[in-house]
Amino acid sequence: MNATEKDQHLLHEMESKRLELKYFAQYHGFSHPATVKLSQELDELFNLYHQLNQK
């Protein structure tokens, strides 16, 4: 997998996680432990993307 494919895959993962977080938070609230966990997972994906694309 080349760098562009990795970026696209990571962006897809980020969008999927964002949607999952959005819908979960709507039904369970922002302070629900699972919502917080999903938010942290999305943060990790953003951090990874940022690290991979620092140039």
Side-chain angles (χ1 to χ4, degrees):
M1 188 180 291
N2 66 35
T4 302
E5 290 172 332
K6 287 180 184 178
D7 275 355
Q8 290 300 318
H9 179 73
L10 188 52
L11 287 170
H12 177 74
E13 282 186 62
M14 291 165 62
E15 181 62 13
S16 294
K17 186 65 67 176
R18 185 189 70 78
L19 289 173
E20 184 180 3
L21 172 60
K22 176 184 172 184
Y23 292 115
F24 195 91
Q26 284 179 333
Y27 292 103
H28 300 284
F30 288 99
S31 61
H32 189 282
T35 304
V36 173
K37 184 176 186 301
L38 287 169
S39 179
Q40 290 170 339
E41 291 172 3
L42 181 57
D43 287 344
E44 289 176 13
L45 290 171
F46 274 113
N47 289 336
L48 177 59
Y49 183 81
H50 180 71
Q51 287 173 354
L52 293 173
N53 289 287
Q54 279 186 344
K55 293 178 185 171

